[in-house]
């Protein structure tokens, strides 16, 4: 029975993290699709990224708080959050309330991501499923959002995923999470006896780094962003990442630093979007990277590889064109590094892992430099890539800064030897 429950928890954690990711992902076209009104463009470019940022902070808060009530409460909270997501997508929403619907969607997705993480990260099988589901949500969500911005008719597969997260996937996930809650042992361990014992430092860390990343990405969308502004934004994001890493216990901040570097470098490389078959090799190498990281952990090597991939994006400009082979190679490389990084770093607290996954869903400043304006969008017929080099340089700078911070954190906080090892 224990084996079947572990398998059920693994599938449930994977599905929950993927659904939460699909709900949190920000449309990369930011209102550039044909027929978008001024209201829709404003909602996409302003309120949606802010709602995503709020959802990530709520995810960390949920991961911290639900652990006070044990595993059963965590699974139950995840099921209720999924129900809210289903309801929000089934109820018709007038355009004037799109902003409210976006925030409800993001907050519910945040609770789902945090509660599922609190339940799944307690033991290895569901923890692996949770990590895999979160990374799949990033990859598939980015792919579908780009496809939905194309002009012309959509295929049956594209129509099935055009509303993220798709209701036909969310409803079974809700039932699966409810079953996980029922089958969870009644005497679940309560990690904190009272609210006064809750560690709120991870929540503060999330507020610092998430708010900074969101604010810098908003400031760099203006046409007046010169070199000085870009340098200041890079330093601000790097400083926020370092502060967040120091606020997290032990070496948990290592994963946050790697996530910041991964998000920046991934934004400088166009994920292959126009051909569905390209998702297969990307997801395959992601799973291989995760398995490799679980077997051989080397966070510093991962950070060095992220910087090297940023250099690749700078030296091979065709990585920013969806149809090129170099774009597919770069996309596979960043997917493999993402899987390896999350497999190689095991955080002592649930909130550290939830925060790192959440950072992958927030639009980075590198993304806003890469896609500045509708004509810079990769599927736009009059696309221009005037900011490509600056985006790659910013990704390299953030990667190098995070690499130095990872090394410094390892020296500042030596790894403790577990007593049971």
């Amino acid at each position: 029975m224990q084996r079947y429950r572990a398998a059920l928890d693994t599938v449930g954690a994977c599905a929950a993290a993927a659904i939460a990711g699909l709900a949190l992902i920000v449309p990369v076209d930011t209102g550039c699709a044909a027929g978008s009104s001024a209201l829709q463009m404003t909602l996409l470019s302003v309120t949606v990224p802010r709602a995503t940022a709020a959802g990530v902070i709520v995810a960390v808060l949920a991961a911290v708080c639900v652990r006070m009530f044990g595993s059963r409460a965590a699974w139950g909270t995840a099921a209720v959050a999924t129900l809210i997501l289903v309801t929000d997508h089934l109820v018709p929403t007038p355009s004037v309330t799109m902003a409210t619907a976006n925030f409800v969607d993001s907050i519910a997705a945040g609770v789902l991501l945090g509660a599922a993480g609190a339940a799944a990260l307690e033991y290895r099988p569901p923890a692996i499923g949770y990590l895999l589901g979160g990374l799949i949500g990033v990859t598939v969500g980015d792919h579908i959002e780009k496809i939905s911005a194309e002009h012309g008719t959509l295929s049956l597969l594209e129509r099935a995923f055009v509303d993220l997260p798709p209701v036909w996937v969310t409803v079974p996930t809700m039932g699966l999470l409810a079953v996980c809650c029922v089958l969870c042992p009644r005497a679940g361990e309560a990690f904190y006896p009272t609210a006064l014992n809750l560690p709120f430092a991870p929540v503060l860390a999330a507020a610092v780094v998430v708010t900074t990343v969101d604010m810098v990405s908003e400031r760099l969308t203006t046409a007046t962003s010169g070199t000085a502004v870009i340098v200041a934004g890079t330093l601000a994001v790097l400083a926020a990442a370092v502060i967040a890493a120091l606020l997290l216990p032990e070496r948990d901040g290592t994963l946050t630093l790697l996530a910041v570097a991964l998000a920046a470098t991934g934004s400088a490389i166009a994920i292959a979007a126009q051909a569905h078959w390209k998702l297969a090799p990307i997801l395959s190498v992601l799973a291989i990277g995760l398995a490799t990281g679980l077997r051989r952990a080397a966070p510093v090597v991962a950070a060095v590889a992220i910087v090297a991939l940023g250099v690749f994006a700078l030296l091979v400009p065709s990585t920013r064109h969806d149809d090129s082979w170099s774009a597919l190679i770069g996309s596979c490389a960043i997917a493999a590094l993402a899987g390896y990084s999350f497999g190689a770093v095991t955080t002592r607290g649930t909130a550290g892992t939830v925060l790192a996954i959440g950072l992958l869903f927030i639009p980075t400043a590198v993304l806003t430099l890469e896609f500045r304006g509708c004509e810079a969008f990769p599927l736009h017929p009059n696309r221009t890539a005037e900011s490509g080099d600056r985006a790659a340089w910013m990704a390299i700078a953030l990667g190098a800064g995070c690499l130095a911070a990872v090394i410094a954190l390892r020296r500042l906080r030596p790894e403790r030897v577990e007593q049971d090892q």
Side-chain angles (χ1 to χ4, degrees):
M1 183 63 183
Q2 184 69 19
R3 180 181 302 177
Y4 291 114
R5 190 177 73 84
L8 191 66
D9 288 352
T10 301
V11 176
C14 182
I19 289 296
L22 292 175
L24 285 171
I25 199 75
V26 176
V28 74
D29 65 310
T30 60
C32 294
S36 296
S37 65
L39 174 61
Q40 289 173 326
M41 292 181 66
T42 301
L43 290 174
L44 284 172
S45 61
V46 178
T47 64
V48 175
R50 292 179 181 177
T52 300
V56 174
I57 296 176
V58 168
V60 178
L61 180 61
V64 171
C65 291
V66 297
R67 287 177 70 86
M68 186 175 68
F69 303 100
S71 302
R72 172 170 286 187
W75 287 119
T77 303
V80 173
T82 311
L83 175 61
I84 296 175
L85 276 176
V86 173
T87 304
D88 192 40
H89 280 257
L90 290 179
V91 176
T93 305
S95 60
V96 293
T97 59
M98 282 179 63
T100 302
N102 285 330
F103 271 91
V104 171
D105 221 35
S106 295
I107 296 302
V111 173
L112 173 59
L113 185 67
L121 294 173
E122 290 186 6
Y123 62 109
R124 190 177 180 85
I128 296 174
Y130 179 80
L131 293 175
L132 183 61
L135 295 175
I136 288 176
V138 175
T139 306
V140 176
D142 182 77
H143 174 83
I144 297 300
E145 286 294 0
K146 286 184 178 180
I147 287 296
S148 65
E150 285 188 278
H151 303 290
T153 59
L154 298 178
S155 68
L156 179 63
L157 177 63
E158 292 160 3
R159 289 197 300 270
F161 283 92
V162 72
D163 183 27
L164 297 183
V167 176
W168 61 271
V169 176
T170 309
V171 172
T173 300
M174 177 182 63
L176 183 59
L177 293 175
V179 173
C180 292
C181 176
V182 172
L183 297 182
C184 185
R186 181 172 301 178
E189 180 182 0
F191 289 86
Y192 309 106
T194 65
L196 296 177
N197 300 106
L198 290 174
F200 286 104
V203 181
L204 179 59
V208 170
V209 67
V210 170
T211 303
T212 304
V213 170
D214 183 63
M215 289 181 61
V216 170
S217 63
E218 285 188 14
R219 296 299 181 269
L220 291 184
T221 56
T222 61
T224 58
S225 298
T227 302
V229 177
I230 295 174
V231 171
T234 303
L235 294 176
V237 172
L238 185 58
V242 172
I243 293 173
L246 293 175
L247 286 172
L248 292 171
E250 301 297 331
R251 293 184 176 181
D252 288 7
T254 300
L255 191 56
T256 297
L257 294 169
L258 290 177
V260 171
L262 280 167
T265 305
S267 298
I269 296 177
I271 297 295
Q274 293 187 357
H276 295 306
W277 68 266
K278 294 180 180 179
L279 268 180
I282 293 175
L283 293 178
S284 298
V285 298
L286 189 154
I288 293 173
L290 179 61
T292 305
L294 291 170
R295 290 177 177 272
R296 296 182 179 275
V300 176
V301 174
V304 172
I306 293 171
V307 177
L309 192 55
V311 176
F312 173 76
L314 177 67
L315 299 179
V316 186
S318 59
T319 55
R320 296 185 290 273
H321 298 278
D322 293 332
D323 287 334
S324 66
W325 281 101
S326 59
L328 179 59
I329 294 173
S331 299
C332 289
I334 195 66
L337 280 176
Y340 181 82
S341 299
F342 278 85
V345 180
T346 302
T347 61
R348 294 178 179 270
T350 300
T353 301
V354 173
L355 172 59
I357 291 181
L359 287 172
L360 300 181
F361 299 108
I362 303 175
T364 65
V366 176
L367 183 67
T368 57
L369 284 177
E370 181 68 21
F371 303 133
R372 178 179 295 172
C374 289
E375 292 188 355
F377 181 59
L379 300 178
H380 194 278
N382 300 320
R383 182 194 179 198
T384 57
E386 58 183 271
S387 302
D389 288 345
R390 292 196 291 179
W393 276 115
M394 187 175 189
I396 294 172
L398 284 173
C402 289
L403 168 61
V406 167
I407 296 174
L409 185 64
R410 292 172 67 86
R411 294 183 177 180
L412 180 64
R413 297 176 176 176
E415 186 176 10
R416 294 183 181 180
V417 179
E418 298 291 345
Q419 295 181 358
D420 58 348
Q421 292 181 343

